[in-house]
Amino acid sequence: MAAKQTGHAALAALLWEPQAGPRRGPRPTLTLEAIARAGVAAADADGLGAVTMQRVAEAVGVTKMALYRYVPGKDELVALMLDVGIGPAPHPASGHWRADLEAWSRALAARFQRHPWAMAATIGTRVMGPNELDWLERAVAALDGTGLTGAEAIDAAAVLAGNARAMTEQAAAAGGAGPEDALAAVLAGLLRGREDRFPAIGAAFAETVRDGGRDEAFEFGLQRLLDGIEALIAKRRKG
Amino acid sequence: MAAKQTGHAALAALLWEPQAGPRRGPRPTLTLEAIARAGVAAADADGLGAVTMQRVAEAVGVTKMALYRYVPGKDELVALMLDVGIGPAPHPASGHWRADLEAWSRALAARFQRHPWAMAATIGTRVMGPNELDWLERAVAALDGTGLTGAEAIDAAAVLAGNARAMTEQAAAAGGAGPEDALAAVLAGLLRGREDRFPAIGAAFAETVRDGGRDEAFEFGLQRLLDGIEALIAKRRKG
DNA sequence: CATATACCGTGTCTCACGGACACAGTTATT
DNA sequence: AATAACTGTGTCCGTGAGACACGGTATATG
């Protein structure tokens, strides 16, 4: 299942074809969206590992094998879930590229935070769905007229998206009053007694804890990236 | 297996405890490192999905169940593989923070490129291993004396690492003359006939293809981030 | 030196999950 | 009315993770 080479085209058709015309047999009782939504609900509740064909099938009220009439396999189901879960991009268009990209990035981070499993699902070679491509379109459009090349605009969008994904993931692990606090405690305990081996981290950690450590890694990366993009735009405009 | 809440402490002990003292029974025939290396080899060859207890056991010459004498479960094995595969960080220390971080980031990206499965393995709540913490230490140390706070230094390291991870992944998917080219073809085919819906991407893509599209997303993100960090350092120094 | 105690590797079993396949029922086409 | 295509279902199999009890082995204790 993990290595299903055949099917990029099939997956693309699944994600992009709206619906085939009138067919002969009995009319389907389900829709792709209903199936995907059931999967999203299961993943939101209990993680991506809890998304099983059986469970999704029960959620929509059919047998496990009935799902295979709609979806070639589980990988494709997850791809569908991703596009449905991430949803369409907001269309702010304030007019200024920086404000637009900032809002775009925060909105994307919020989506990832709402669907933590999406980070695990966006790994590896993938076919982009309509919504995902919509997000990319908005970011590239925001950079229109700034003097960046097309490749640079796409790179910028990819980097900003990567930041939102990676840093939100880290935030999800650090924040929340769940058993994740135990993780931070484990790390702190690990550091204790090893300050000689990791002096810089030890000092930084001590300082952070003193200041009331929260994780602003996403915001930090966002601002640094925007500053860097701004510098590039300025350089391009000068010549 | 995916949801094993118990064991952060056990995993930490596994990753960090060097070796217990002399024990009573027969001496173990294997070492943790040998097991981890076998796993790394399997993952490098056929992907993370091909890493099965059975296969790793065969590679080291024991039965599947013998591995459980060394490792609590597969998740822990993968965590071990990650730390072994990523290896220790280089210690360049050129003296200038920017050069150091640049080399650091490129080295990390190279490691990820060498072990593509590591990107999938670094997802979710994790306990850092010695090598992983070593990488963090080097990055934070490079920012010593720049005027950044400890929290900012840690954030910077996390963001740079996130960029290396996410962008290298994308590069691995786009490059190479494998069936991934088919993916790009699918995307291009998708875009064709939808330029009205995704005008910005269409224009950017056309321009990129004309210029001979390569993926420099990692380098782009790296330079933008370093520029942004440099701007922050300059601001801090001014007051 | 003898014995108990802990530990090592193995074989067998169970369970969960993804997926193949054949079958019966349903509906649009001819 | 007959046919062809499509839908949902039940049954089956392969694979992989992990539980558990067993026999063998090396160290600590008397």
Side-chain angles (χ1 to χ4, degrees), chain B:
Chain B
M1 159 216 155
K4 177 174 297 190
Q5 218 65 9
T6 68
H8 280 166
L11 179 54
L14 189 75
L15 286 169
W16 286 88
E17 289 312 315
Q19 199 65 286
R23 280 164 299 183
R24 193 169 287 198
R27 50 188 57 84
T29 53
L30 304 175
T31 63
L32 277 179
E33 178 159 342
I35 296 172
R37 289 210 176 282
V40 168
D44 285 348
D46 299 317
L48 194 57
V51 176
T52 161
M53 292 290 151
Q54 182 69 42
R55 175 161 176 179
V56 173
E58 280 171 7
V60 295
V62 294
T63 315
K64 176 187 69 162
M65 290 314 293
L67 295 184
Y68 288 95
R69 294 281 173 198
Y70 298 84
V71 171
K74 195 190 178 183
D75 289 356
E76 288 79 7
L77 171 60
V78 172
L80 225 82
M81 285 168 51
L82 181 69
D83 212 61
V84 167
I86 214 69
H91 285 215
S94 75
H96 191 42
W97 69 265
R98 178 153 185 158
D100 278 0
L101 281 189
E102 201 169 333
W104 180 90
S105 203
R106 290 220 181 86
L108 185 59
R111 298 290 171 91
F112 274 122
Q113 210 152 11
R114 196 169 176 76
H115 306 291
W117 51 269
M119 298 179 272
T122 46
I123 215 133
T125 305
R126 278 176 313 110
V127 177
M128 291 172 96
N131 284 331
E132 203 177 347
L133 204 58
D134 185 42
W135 280 88
L136 180 61
E137 168 73 16
R138 296 312 310 161
V140 173
L143 285 168
D144 250 6
T146 56
L148 295 193
T149 71
E152 284 170 341
I154 291 181
D155 284 351
V159 169
L160 283 169
N163 180 64
R165 182 160 53 121
M167 295 306 104
T168 301
E169 168 197 3
Q170 170 162 303
E180 284 83 10
D181 287 329
L183 180 72
V186 167
L187 184 63
L190 235 47
L191 236 55
R192 203 181 325 281
R194 291 184 227 266
E195 288 90 354
D196 53 335
R197 195 170 154 195
F198 304 101
I201 298 178
F205 226 78
E207 183 186 333
T208 302
V209 169
R210 178 165 50 73
D211 295 351
R214 19 63 324 176
D215 65 296
E216 301 263 344
F218 164 70
E219 276 295 330
F220 181 89
L222 174 58
Q223 295 306 328
R224 256 18 85 210
L225 278 171
L226 291 175
D227 285 351
I229 293 171
E230 189 161 352
L232 181 65
I233 289 177
K235 190 167 69 175
R236 282 291 146 77
R237 279 194 175 139
K238 271 191 206 162

Side-chain angles (χ1 to χ4, degrees), chain A residues 23-121:
Chain A
R23 281 164 299 183
R24 191 169 291 197
R27 50 188 56 84
T29 53
L30 303 175
T31 63
L32 277 179
E33 178 159 339
I35 296 172
R37 290 212 175 279
V40 168
D44 285 347
D46 299 318
L48 194 57
V51 176
T52 161
M53 292 291 148
Q54 182 68 42
R55 175 161 176 178
V56 173
E58 280 170 7
V60 295
V62 294
T63 315
K64 176 185 68 164
M65 290 313 294
L67 294 184
Y68 288 95
R69 294 283 174 198
Y70 299 84
V71 171
K74 197 191 177 182
D75 289 356
E76 288 79 6
L77 171 60
V78 172
L80 225 82
M81 285 169 50
L82 183 67
D83 212 60
V84 167
I86 215 67
H91 286 216
S94 76
H96 191 41
W97 68 267
R98 178 152 185 158
D100 279 359
L101 280 190
E102 201 171 334
W104 179 89
S105 202
R106 290 219 182 86
L108 185 58
R111 298 291 171 94
F112 274 122
Q113 209 152 10
R114 196 167 176 77
H115 307 291
W117 51 270
M119 298 179 272

Side-chain angles (χ1 to χ4, degrees), chain A residues 119-174:
Chain A
M119 298 179 272
T122 47
I123 217 142
T125 306
R126 277 173 315 109
V127 177
M128 292 172 96
N131 285 331
E132 201 177 346
L133 204 57
D134 185 41
W135 280 88
L136 181 59
E137 168 72 18
R138 294 314 309 161
V140 173
L143 286 168
D144 250 5
T146 56
L148 295 192
T149 70
E152 285 171 340
I154 291 182
D155 285 351
V159 169
L160 282 169
N163 180 64
R165 182 160 54 122
M167 295 306 105
T168 301
E169 168 196 3
Q170 171 164 302

